Amino acid sequence: MKKKLSIVDIANALNVSKTTISFILNGRAQEKRISGDLVEKVMKYVAEVGYKPNSLAKSLRTGKSNTIGLMVEDISNPFFASIARLIEDRAYKNGYKIIYCSTDNDTQKTQDLINMFRDRHVDGYIMAPPEGIEEDIESLINDGMPVVLFDRHLPGVKTDFIEVDNLFSTFNATKHLLDQGFKNIAFVTFKSHQTQMVDRIRGYQDAMKSNGLKPTIIKEIVFNQDEEQIMAPLRDFFKGNPDVDAILFGTNHIGTCGLKIMQELGKKAPTDIAIISFDDYDVFKLHSPPVTAIAQPVEEIADNVITVLLEKLNNLSVSEKPQSIILKTDLKIRNSSVKIG
Amino acid sequence: MKKKLSIVDIANALNVSKTTISFILNGRAQEKRISGDLVEKVMKYVAEVGYKPNSLAKSLRTGKSNTIGLMVEDISNPFFASIARLIEDRAYKNGYKIIYCSTDNDTQKTQDLINMFRDRHVDGYIMAPPEGIEEDIESLINDGMPVVLFDRHLPGVKTDFIEVDNLFSTFNATKHLLDQGFKNIAFVTFKSHQTQMVDRIRGYQDAMKSNGLKPTIIKEIVFNQDEEQIMAPLRDFFKGNPDVDAILFGTNHIGTCGLKIMQELGKKAPTDIAIISFDDYDVFKLHSPPVTAIAQPVEEIADNVITVLLEKLNNLSVSEKPQSIILKTDLKIRNSSVKIG
DNA sequence: TATATCCAGTTAATCGATTTACCATCAAAA
DNA sequence: TTTTGATGGTAAATCGATTAACTGGATATA
């Protein structure tokens, strides 16, 4: 177990002060008038022995950790997993590491995680915030930490966020169902007061009303890690509402559970019930017949998130007006929502 | 922006030396004979002002970072995402944070990532290693770092690993197809010399041979982030082999791509071609008809991985014999592989 | 009486960097 | 001759913890 080299070892080996080594390694040689000869000698030796500065020590001194904290609802959800993946790539390319975790939409857990991130001196935060976390986020912002929210935002909190046009997306999807001749359209989703969910429900309601229909069939299910806790109420809903002819699901997860229940009950889409789900992914594409879905622009979201955060990390432009970026979704119309007969 | 409190601030406020504070906070008060009165006073004050030790400074001094580096092939793949999720949960419960990244099975990228992890002083490594990384892993182990591999292992390298019985799994799946009366069975997978893939191919070959058939229809596709790079050769394969009546796919990703191609070409499973894929997930469960799949015990894998790593982190039992844990898979038989007619 | 042991802590070194403040030397300018 | 300025660096403080070694006084033992 060879001991790791420190800057002192380098300094001693070359008979130079560690200050000089530090300046050279940080590209401040010119500014500090270190001779080209010495710079070359040091660089060569450093490369030769493979010396790398200890980043803990560096972080302790400078206060920067080159780490970004990423908090999503659930990293095993394909929507969040693919965004995490894209963010990871861009972050690494820019010299940042990612520490991530899943909040489970649990306020207490999220608070603990924020404390942990804080404690670890992450340089910036990216999060899909749960409810009730406003104060903690504000406190972060007051302490000068860059925070970028995505997928949803916190109404009172002044910070940048990236999300999609949820209201229009479900409005448009509901319209699509109405245009196909469906009337008893239900909206099934997770129970939540988060902005994205409120907007999705509103979109559904607005579309129904604009067609003179009552948007009354709304089923909200409590978020739970254990899938059976979601399946049970969903099953009840299907059994209790036999006259529903179309369902709009609020997220990919609940949409997938819905498909499972339909499989269980032997119901076919779209002949028995037409289906549209928020968040497109392979399950919907490959379902036969394929399921119409509201596709979020995952790459664009990830790109915008990391771009905004990097801007904040680089400019120290503290108090520019926060950006709100609203992206468009794409209603992928597949034949499952065509009314037959 | 309130300044963060340091141990010195606490010491000054209470007129006590910082050493004493440190001992108390680290539960060494008894051992160091600090009076109960003082302990109480310090604890109370610390709780009151919400002081938290700076973990960077702590890590710098102690050499421990309470961080685990997790490297998977691709965090957006459901198999790895769910394992990551489970590991994350257990790690946090035990006071460890996770830094993760995707290797893309790229040796160079993985080397860079290992260096980064090393640089960040992670306390332990969990990885699904790509090819050609043997030396780097050995160097980690020589430096006394705990390393646990999963999903595959590196034959020459002496370290713990957790994986499934790949050979039996594909043997069994192939047998199942043979029992159904299929004869022209193909094995389609990613090109790889990794142990899990070698075993999976062997399982297929052994089963075919044991039935007196030639296991010649093997298609290996180069791993690529860009899905179309996978789809194209796969499409060619389907078109070029019209007499294949069943396919065993080596991973969920390639299985999913296979389903997409079949959808494209209007081929139905199992009437046109029977399908079995390694790695079970929603896409296979919900496909109609559902796809038979080899389910890996994701929770068990994650559990074993983190348990073994935590053992290594706690015991400093340096040189016990490394454990090789081989778990069983479960062939989820669904009707798509029933030969009809 | 001299020495050892127990208290209840404290001093100072240390981890490995960054950064502020300073110091010789020499040439040119006043 | 003294002052100024550039050149090419270095010494020491600092970030915020942990930890080995020590201290001064009271009590117990030889």
Side-chain angles (χ1 to χ4, degrees):
Chain A
M1 196 186 316
K2 54 181 181 261
K3 237 195 86 219
K4 261 202 91 178
L5 290 170
S6 84
I7 197 170
V8 180
D9 300 321
I10 307 296
N12 289 342
L14 296 177
N15 249 316
V16 175
S17 112
K18 61 178 179 163
T19 306
T20 308
I21 308 284
S22 175
F23 285 147
I24 294 176
L25 260 38
N26 287 291
R28 303 176 62 190
Q30 293 244 273
E31 170 195 349
K32 292 293 172 180
R33 296 176 309 232
I34 314 283
S35 68
D37 280 5
L38 186 52
V39 170
E40 200 177 327
K41 189 166 126 195
V42 169
M43 293 305 267
K44 195 175 153 212
Y45 184 74
V46 162
E48 198 180 306
V49 298
Y51 163 72
K52 296 228 173 196
N54 178 323
S55 52
L56 284 174
K58 194 170 193 150
S59 294
L60 177 59
R61 187 67 238 263
T62 61
K64 311 257 107 221
S65 65
N66 283 305
T67 306
I68 294 169
L70 172 61
M71 307 173 76
V72 298
E73 200 170 287
D74 176 5
I75 192 68
S76 68
N77 178 312
F79 170 68
F80 290 112
S82 47
I83 288 194
R85 177 61 210 274
L86 293 163
I87 289 179
E88 176 199 344
D89 283 349
R90 287 267 321 258
Y92 279 115
K93 275 185 195 127
N94 285 275
Y96 284 94
K97 291 94 196 160
I98 300 278
I99 304 190
Y100 80 104
C101 55
S102 307
T103 65
D104 288 333
N105 266 334
D106 176 332
T107 311
Q108 178 61 53
K109 183 177 180 196
T110 307
Q111 281 167 344
D112 291 352
L113 291 170
I114 289 179
N115 284 333
M116 202 193 66
F117 279 3
R118 220 175 179 141
D119 183 62
R120 302 232 115 205
H121 296 242
V122 303
D123 296 336
Y125 295 73
I126 297 174
M127 42 192 307
E131 295 172 40
I133 205 75
E134 288 80 1
E135 281 179 31
D136 304 77
I137 304 282
E138 258 164 355
S139 143
L140 281 179
I141 296 171
N142 285 338
D143 290 2
M145 301 304 308
V147 178
V148 177
L149 307 181
F150 77 100
D151 190 55
R152 58 199 83 165
H153 68 279
L154 302 168
V157 181
K158 288 263 181 204
T159 188
D160 310 65
F161 62 85
I162 283 85
E163 56 186 26
V164 296
D165 189 345
N166 288 291
L167 199 148
F168 177 77
S169 300
T170 49
F171 179 90
N172 187 39
T174 310
K175 267 290 185 197
H176 176 73
L177 288 169
L178 290 165
D179 290 349
Q180 307 281 315
F182 297 102
K183 293 220 154 41
N184 284 312
I185 305 174
F187 187 74
V188 177
T189 193
F190 286 119
K191 186 165 191 60
S192 162
H193 299 295
Q194 293 166 345
T195 55
Q196 88 282 21
M197 225 26 109
V198 170
D199 286 355
R200 288 178 196 178
I201 294 184
R202 279 282 308 266
Y204 157 77
Q205 291 173 322
D206 289 359
M208 293 297 275
K209 284 182 200 157
S210 79
N211 260 41
L213 294 167
K214 290 233 169 78
T216 46
I217 324 173
I218 295 178
K219 174 72 180 175
E220 292 176 294
I221 290 174
V222 175
F223 183 87
N224 199 296
Q225 263 302 109
D226 174 17
E227 194 159 285
E228 189 44 41
Q229 300 290 319
I230 295 169
M231 297 286 275
L234 205 49
R235 197 175 287 119
D236 294 346
F237 174 80
F238 272 87
K239 290 182 178 162
N241 294 69
D243 45 343
V244 163
D245 59 1
I247 302 181
L248 179 55
F249 288 105
T251 76
N252 62 355
H253 190 183
I254 200 130
T256 306
C257 291
L259 289 176
K260 286 184 186 166
I261 299 285
M262 289 178 65
Q263 190 181 55
E264 244 182 68
L265 302 178
K267 290 201 186 289
K268 295 279 172 206
T271 35
D272 298 323
I273 300 177
I275 296 291
I276 296 185
S277 180
F278 219 101
D279 300 328
D280 195 21
Y281 77 126
D282 281 343
V283 166
F284 300 147
K285 282 178 208 154
L286 286 170
H287 199 266
S288 31
V291 176
T292 296
I294 300 168
Q296 297 201 48
V298 177
E299 284 171 38
E300 238 181 298
I301 294 174
D303 249 41
N304 276 283
V305 165
I306 192 76
T307 303
V308 170
L309 186 63
L310 288 173
E311 264 172 30
K312 298 183 85 161
L313 286 167
N314 296 333
N315 303 357
L316 297 165
S317 62
V318 184
S319 57
E320 265 177 51
K321 206 174 104 207
Q323 305 181 50
S324 320
I325 300 178
I326 313 287
L327 303 170
K328 295 215 170 313
T329 58
D330 184 9
L331 182 65
K332 301 268 188 190
I333 296 173
R334 303 190 175 110
N335 64 355
S336 72
S337 60
V338 175
K339 177 138 190 172
I340 300 179
Chain B
M1 193 184 322
K2 55 182 180 259
K3 238 194 90 223
K4 262 203 92 179
L5 291 170
S6 83
I7 197 169
V8 180
D9 299 320
I10 307 296
N12 290 340
L14 297 177
N15 250 317
V16 174
S17 112
K18 59 177 179 166
T19 304
T20 307
I21 308 285
S22 174
F23 285 147
I24 293 176
L25 260 37
N26 288 293
R28 302 176 61 191
Q30 294 245 273
E31 169 196 350
K32 291 295 174 177
R33 296 176 307 233
I34 313 283
S35 69
D37 281 2
L38 186 51
V39 169
E40 200 176 325
K41 189 167 126 196
V42 169
M43 293 305 266
K44 196 175 152 216
Y45 183 74
V46 162
E48 198 180 304
V49 299
Y51 163 71
K52 297 226 172 196
N54 179 323
S55 52
L56 285 173
K58 193 170 195 151
S59 295
L60 176 59
R61 185 69 238 264
T62 61
K64 311 257 107 222
S65 65
N66 283 303
T67 305
I68 294 170
L70 170 62
M71 308 173 76
V72 298
E73 201 170 287
D74 177 5
I75 191 68
S76 68
N77 178 313
F79 171 68
F80 290 112
S82 46
I83 288 193
R85 177 60 210 272
L86 294 162
I87 289 179
E88 176 198 344
D89 283 349
R90 287 265 323 258
Y92 279 115
K93 275 185 195 127
N94 285 276
Y96 283 93
K97 291 95 198 160
I98 299 278
I99 304 190
Y100 81 103
C101 55
S102 307
T103 66
D104 288 333
N105 266 335
D106 176 332
T107 310
Q108 177 61 53
K109 183 177 179 193
T110 307
Q111 282 166 343
D112 292 350
L113 291 170
I114 289 180
N115 284 332
M116 203 192 66
F117 279 2
R118 218 172 181 146
D119 182 61
R120 303 232 112 204
H121 296 241
V122 304
D123 295 336
Y125 295 73
I126 297 174
M127 42 192 307
E131 295 172 39
I133 205 75
E134 287 80 0
E135 282 179 30
D136 305 77
I137 304 282
E138 259 164 355
S139 142
L140 280 179
I141 297 171
N142 285 338
D143 290 2
M145 301 305 309
V147 179
V148 176
L149 307 181
F150 77 100
D151 190 56
R152 56 199 83 165
H153 68 277
L154 302 168
V157 181
K158 288 261 182 206
T159 188
D160 310 67
F161 62 86
I162 283 86
E163 56 186 26
V164 297
D165 189 345
N166 289 291
L167 199 148
F168 177 76
S169 300
T170 49
F171 179 89
N172 188 38
T174 309
K175 266 289 186 202
H176 175 72
L177 289 169
L178 290 165
D179 291 348
Q180 307 283 314
F182 297 102
K183 293 221 152 47
N184 283 314
I185 305 174
F187 187 74
V188 177
T189 193
F190 284 119
K191 185 165 192 61
S192 162
H193 299 295
Q194 293 166 346
T195 55
Q196 88 281 22
M197 227 22 110
V198 170
D199 286 355
R200 289 177 196 179
I201 293 183
R202 278 283 305 269
Y204 157 77
Q205 291 173 323
D206 289 359
M208 292 297 274
K209 283 184 199 154
S210 79
N211 261 42
L213 294 168
K214 288 232 169 80
T216 45
I217 323 176
I218 295 178
K219 174 71 179 173
E220 290 176 296
I221 290 173
V222 174
F223 183 86
N224 198 296
Q225 263 302 109
D226 175 17
E227 193 160 288
E228 189 43 41
Q229 300 290 317
I230 296 168
M231 297 286 274
L234 205 50
R235 197 175 287 120
D236 293 347
F237 174 80
F238 271 87
K239 290 182 177 162
N241 295 67
D243 44 343
V244 163
D245 59 2
I247 303 181
L248 180 55
F249 288 105
T251 76
N252 61 355
H253 191 182
I254 202 133
T256 306
C257 289
L259 289 177
K260 286 184 187 169
I261 299 285
M262 289 177 65
Q263 190 181 54
E264 245 182 65
L265 302 178
K267 290 198 186 292
K268 296 278 172 206
T271 34
D272 298 324
I273 301 177
I275 296 291
I276 296 185
S277 179
F278 219 99
D279 299 328
D280 194 22
Y281 77 128
D282 282 342
V283 166
F284 300 148
K285 281 177 208 154
L286 286 170
H287 199 264
S288 33
V291 176
T292 295
I294 300 167
Q296 298 200 48
V298 177
E299 284 171 38
E300 236 182 300
I301 294 174
D303 249 41
N304 276 285
V305 164
I306 192 75
T307 303
V308 170
L309 186 63
L310 288 173
E311 265 173 29
K312 298 184 86 163
L313 285 168
N314 296 334
N315 304 356
L316 296 167
S317 63
V318 185
S319 57
E320 266 176 48
K321 206 172 107 208
Q323 304 180 52
S324 320
I325 299 178
I326 313 287
L327 303 171
K328 294 216 172 311
T329 58
D330 183 10
L331 183 65
K332 302 268 187 191
I333 297 174
R334 305 193 174 109
N335 64 354
S336 72
S337 60
V338 176
K339 177 135 189 174
I340 300 178

